[in-house]
Amino acid sequence: MKKVTALALIFAGLILSATAQATVISLDAYLGSDWKATVTPESFDNTCYPCASNIFATGLTWESANSGWNISASYDDSSWSAYSGGLPAGALTPFYARQVFNIDGTPNYGTFSIGVDDDSLVWVNGILVPGLIDNNGGNSGVQTADITSYLVSGDNVIAFKAHNSAGGGFGVYGLTGSVTYEANAVPEPTTLMLLSLSIAGIVFNRRKKV
């Protein structure tokens, strides 16, 4: 009974002393986060004005052939270029960008902001974020949305499509955001030391009795 009680106390101590740490993942493209972008074969130099092509109706052939680009962490984006905001080389429209990040714990909060002249769509784990749908054919300024409900433990994918829907100027800005989560609790070093000492004590007592 004494041995069982001692072990129970040890494991209870481990649970109580395990600490969950708040961790922040940056989604800021301008601060060196792991964004990647691509200009597809369907992209075109839409500099005419006025002219129009709806963001929902542009690039569909490429999107159909690359169905995992905005949802799968394992999607092959090795041919994509590192992206730090603004327009990728060539400034063609539309272009696509994505980032994969891992939440090793429980998601607490996430937010993301984007501004595009003209339009943009943002997905988190393949779900189109309603608060980040910009389809008015003009510069709407920076939009911000809470993305907490779309986050999961493990790998996550945030992705966006930017399009110069009405021609003329084309710009992407305001790519900021962050994700906060509680890391999986781990025993503190002092707790592990106490556990080792307790086990050693039990072993010593058993040998002494023998």
Side-chain angles (χ1 to χ4, degrees):
M1 179 63 73
K2 290 182 180 179
K3 294 176 184 177
V4 174
T5 302
L7 287 173
L9 289 173
I10 291 170
F11 289 118
L14 276 173
I15 295 171
L16 290 174
S17 60
T19 56
Q21 300 176 350
T23 303
V24 178
I25 299 173
S26 173
L27 301 179
D28 292 8
Y30 303 100
L31 296 179
S33 57
D34 298 325
W35 283 95
K36 301 185 77 173
T38 187
V39 176
T40 79
E42 286 186 73
S43 299
F44 59 98
D45 185 10
N46 185 16
T47 57
C48 66
Y49 188 84
C51 58
S53 58
N54 188 282
I55 189 171
F56 283 102
T58 306
L60 297 185
T61 301
W62 180 87
E63 291 172 26
S64 177
N66 293 268
S67 58
W69 78 274
N70 61 355
I71 187 172
S72 174
S74 60
Y75 169 83
D76 183 10
D77 59 7
S78 59
S79 64
W80 294 35
S81 302
Y83 177 67
S84 58
L87 299 177
L92 298 179
T93 184
F95 80 87
Y96 301 83
R98 63 184 243 129
Q99 180 180 178
V100 178
F101 57 94
N102 183 272
I103 295 179
D104 182 22
T106 304
N108 279 347
Y109 180 70
T111 184
F112 186 65
S113 300
I114 185 173
V116 176
D117 179 7
D118 296 314
D119 296 333
S120 60
L121 303 173
V122 178
W123 293 263
V124 177
N125 294 319
I127 302 174
L128 187 63
V129 181
L132 296 175
I133 294 176
D134 179 5
N135 188 35
N136 67 357
N139 189 350
S140 302
V142 175
Q143 300 184 91
T144 301
D146 184 333
I147 60 172
T148 309
S149 61
Y150 308 103
L151 301 173
V152 298
S153 296
D155 286 333
N156 290 257
V157 178
I158 183 168
F160 71 84
K161 174 183 180 181
H163 184 42
N164 191 21
S165 303
F170 186 25
V172 179
Y173 49 93
L175 290 173
T176 61
S178 64
V179 169
T180 303
Y181 68 93
E182 291 295 328
N184 288 327
V186 294
E188 296 179 347
T190 53
T191 302
L192 294 176
M193 182 181 68
L194 289 173
L195 174 61
S196 299
L197 290 174
S198 299
I199 294 175
I202 293 173
V203 172
F204 177 78
N205 285 333
R206 289 188 62 184
R207 289 181 176 177
K208 189 176 180 180
K209 290 178 180 180
V210 173

